């Protein structure tokens, strides 16, 4: 395990709450990553904006890289390589108990335990169990209450089950969780199909008000999942380059910002990055037709030519694992094409991340994150799983 230091989940989120209380509404960007270049691009965008962040990996991302220790290594290596010294927390996204424990033992700073499909009392029990495991290690916990429409790994719901603001304080009190994803009408993926009236940001506002009345807001944080904006120009770019993505629609940025003003402190973004990577890769193949002959890129070209709606880079970079190639470039001629593509992807991600964290109000907040280690955080939690 690299000893490159990650920041606690808690202190990163607390910086956004403190800034918000001082009048500048802010939320931390939480960016999903699957592969090395993606992590490098996010870090570069954060540096340009002087922003702290949460970098997160789903169960699928952990599997893709071969386990939580590989994701930890991949991220800390990307930080070391670029001399990244701004606060970054590594978080498991939509985890279960088994993966949560594995990640808490692998250097992660936060765990999301998604038991949102369970009845409230069971959801509380599972989340509380995760807190009891994670907090003594200084690892923060995010629960989920209510259900986002759509499929997220093994949790799916046809319709949004909106969170009830009057249950939010109870959830925090009974679980001891640091953060809570509340369903207010967003959904995962590029086809959010959301009508603007389905986005009930008043759920965020009323939840935060109830937390304020209960004295919870200084150390408990609300999270917005499914927050990709799905820029239409990106979708059009992909379609003009041979893709076929229909009906893609994201959350209007204004609604996300309203949610932040009302109390969201963590904003989850995955799909926007996937779209940017896909557009860049398709454009690269158009501009460099001979790149399709490079061994490391052949598979990607075939998948993009046959699956016109593909946007998940794991589908087309599945076999090549960019990190392995970049660490030990094969002697094969043409590898420069692969490296060039990765540089373009990194830049595309950096530009979007910089833009988003500026919009979320967390640009410039890197210096206000309390400088604690996970060991310090464990003591802060009291070492017994309580807040
Ligand atoms: O909800 C989070 C991300 O979109 C995770 O996606 O499970 O396909 O990695 P994934
Ligand atoms: P998007 O699909 O909108 O990017 O949502 C990401 C997310 O919520 C990850 O947990
Ligand atoms: Zn999510």
């Amino acid at each position: 395990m690299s000893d490159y230091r990650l920041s606690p989940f808690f202190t990163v989120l607390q910086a956004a709450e403190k800034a918000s209380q001082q009048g500048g509404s802010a939320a931390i960007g939480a960016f999903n990553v699957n592969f090395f270049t993606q992590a490098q691009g996010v870090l570069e965008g954060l540096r340009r904006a002087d922003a702290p962040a949460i970098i997160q990996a789903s169960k699928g991302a952990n599997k893709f890289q071969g386990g939580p220790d590989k994701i930890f290594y991949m991220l800390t290596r990307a930080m070391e390589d670029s001399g990244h010294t701004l606060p970054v927390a590594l978080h498991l996204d939509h985890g279960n108990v088994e993966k949560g424990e594995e990640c808490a033992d692998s250097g992660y700073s936060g765990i999301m335990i998604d038991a949102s499909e369970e009845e409230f009392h069971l959801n509380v029990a599972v989340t509380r169990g995760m807190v009891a495991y994670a907090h003594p290690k200084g690892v923060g916990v995010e629960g989920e209450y209510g259900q986002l429409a759509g499929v997220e790994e093994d949790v799916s719901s046809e319709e949004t089950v909106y969170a009830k603001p009057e249950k939010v304080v109870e959830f925090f009190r009974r679980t001891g969780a640091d953060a809570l994803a509340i369903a207010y009408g967003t959904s995962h993926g590029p086809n959010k199909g959301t009508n603007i009236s389905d986005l009930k940001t008043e759920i965020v506002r009323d939840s935060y008000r109830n937390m304020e009345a209960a004295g919870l807001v200084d150390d408990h944080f609300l999270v917005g999942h499914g927050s990709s904006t799905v820029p239409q120009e990106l979708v059009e770019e992909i379609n003009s380059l041979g893709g076929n993505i229909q009906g893609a629609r994201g959350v209007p940025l204004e609604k996300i910002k309203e949610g932040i003003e009302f109390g969201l402190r963590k904003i989850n973004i995955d799909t926007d990055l996937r779209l940017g990577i896909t557009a860049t890769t398709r454009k690269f193949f158009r501009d460099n037709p001979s790149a399709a002959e490079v061994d490391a890129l052949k598979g990607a070209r075939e998948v993009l030519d046959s699956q016109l709606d593909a946007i998940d880079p794991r589908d087309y970079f599945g076999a090549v694992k960019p990190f392995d190639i970049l660490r030990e470039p094969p002697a094969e001629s043409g590898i420069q094409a692969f490296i060039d593509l990765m540089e373009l992807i990194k830049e595309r991600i950096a530009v979007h991340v910089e833009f988003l964290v500026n919009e979320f109000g967390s640009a410039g907040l890197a210096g206000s994150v309390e400088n604690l280690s996970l060991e310090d955080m464990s003591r802060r939690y009291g070492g017994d799983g309580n807040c």
Side-chain angles (χ1 to χ4, degrees), residues 32 56 93-94 187-189 192 225-228 268-271:
N32 282 70
Q56 52 190 20
D93 191 31
H94 293 284
S187 56
H188 292 116
K192 301 199 186 294
H225 279 241
S227 301
S228 277
N268 281 18
I269 302 287
D270 183 2
T271 299

Side-chain angles (χ1 to χ4, degrees), residues 35-48 78 81-82 273 276-277 280-281 317 326 338-354:
F35 64 98
F36 188 58
T37 307
Q38 201 174 2
Q40 290 179 308
V42 174
L43 293 172
E44 176 62 29
L46 297 172
R47 275 194 299 281
R48 292 177 191 177
D81 282 2
S82 58
L273 305 189
I277 296 164
T280 304
T281 307
F317 289 139
L326 294 175
F338 182 85
I339 292 168
D340 291 347
L341 171 58
M342 292 301 136
E343 279 302 316
L344 292 170
I345 288 175
K346 188 161 78 174
E347 180 60 22
R348 176 77 73 121
I349 293 176
V351 168
H352 194 56
V353 166
E354 182 186 6

Side-chain angles (χ1 to χ4, degrees), residues 34-356:
N34 283 284
F35 64 98
F36 188 58
T37 307
Q38 201 174 2
Q40 290 179 308
V42 174
L43 293 172
E44 176 62 29
L46 297 172
R47 275 194 299 281
R48 292 177 191 177
D50 190 35
I54 294 168
I55 290 192
Q56 52 190 20
S58 64
K59 294 200 294 281
N62 279 286
K63 190 167 168 208
F64 180 69
Q65 282 301 339
D69 53 333
K70 302 283 191 314
I71 292 273
F72 177 92
Y73 178 64
M74 182 181 89
L75 174 61
T76 51
R77 218 3 238 283
M79 290 171 73
E80 263 180 290
D81 282 2
S82 58
H84 196 93
T85 52
L86 308 182
V88 173
L90 174 60
H91 189 55
L92 170 66
D93 191 31
H94 293 284
N96 55 17
V97 172
E98 186 193 358
K99 197 50 75 182
E101 291 185 358
E102 206 186 324
C103 290
D105 291 334
S106 303
Y108 278 48
S109 21
I111 305 298
M112 180 195 183
I113 175 89
D114 183 354
S116 59
E117 82 283 16
E118 304 287 359
E119 296 216 4
F120 190 78
H121 71 282
L122 282 176
N123 185 356
V124 163
V126 174
T127 308
R128 175 155 193 81
M130 195 69 244
V131 170
Y133 189 87
H135 275 187
K137 298 171 192 291
V139 174
V141 174
E142 171 184 345
E144 175 162 337
Y145 162 51
Q147 280 190 272
L148 275 69
V151 181
E152 170 43 49
E153 296 200 298
D154 38 12
V155 178
S156 71
S157 171
E158 272 180 22
E159 288 187 5
T160 303
V161 180
Y162 290 99
K164 293 193 177 73
E166 61 274 20
K167 299 285 261 182
V168 165
V169 166
E170 183 185 344
F171 190 94
F172 276 124
R173 286 231 165 101
R174 286 176 60 188
T175 59
D178 307 84
L180 177 61
I182 45 170
Y184 71 95
T186 60
S187 56
H188 292 116
N191 299 91
K192 301 199 186 294
T194 320
N195 289 315
I196 197 92
S197 59
D198 295 334
L199 295 170
K200 300 186 189 299
T201 46
E202 61 271 26
I203 292 179
V204 178
R205 182 195 62 204
D206 295 347
S207 300
Y208 186 82
R209 281 184 183 161
N210 291 344
M211 289 165 63
E212 232 173 354
L216 291 180
V217 292
D218 290 344
D219 39 22
H220 297 80
F221 314 105
L222 296 173
V223 181
H225 279 241
S227 301
S228 277
T229 56
V230 186
Q232 287 307 297
E233 61 275 16
L234 260 185
V235 175
E236 281 158 24
E237 185 181 343
I238 292 171
N239 288 347
S240 74
L241 292 163
N244 185 10
I245 299 168
Q246 296 301 325
R249 185 141 58 122
V251 187
L253 194 51
E254 291 318 309
K255 275 282 159 191
I256 305 273
K257 288 167 82 164
E258 188 175 276
I260 296 171
E261 269 165 41
F262 285 164
L264 293 177
R265 296 292 169 253
K266 172 175 182 269
I267 301 292
N268 281 18
I269 302 287
D270 183 2
T271 299
D272 279 0
L273 305 189
R274 295 182 182 196
L275 291 170
I277 296 164
T278 303
T280 304
T281 307
R282 283 193 177 277
K283 185 165 181 302
F284 184 78
F285 282 131
R286 190 205 53 193
D287 295 346
N288 303 276
S290 59
E293 300 312 314
V294 173
D295 275 353
L297 291 171
K298 247 183 213 149
R301 180 69 201 249
E302 276 161 23
V303 173
L304 288 172
D305 282 350
S306 59
Q307 294 177 30
L308 305 187
D309 59 353
I311 63 157
D312 184 345
R314 291 174 301 195
D315 291 338
Y316 49 90
F317 289 139
V320 299
K321 298 267 172 68
F323 190 25
D324 298 342
I325 293 192
L326 294 175
R327 248 183 330 183
E328 287 172 49
E332 171 208 328
S333 70
I335 196 62
Q336 190 57 43
F338 182 85
I339 292 168
D340 291 347
L341 171 58
M342 292 301 136
E343 279 302 316
L344 292 170
I345 288 175
K346 188 161 78 174
E347 180 60 22
R348 176 77 73 121
I349 293 176
V351 168
H352 194 56
V353 166
E354 182 186 6
F355 167 75
L356 286 177

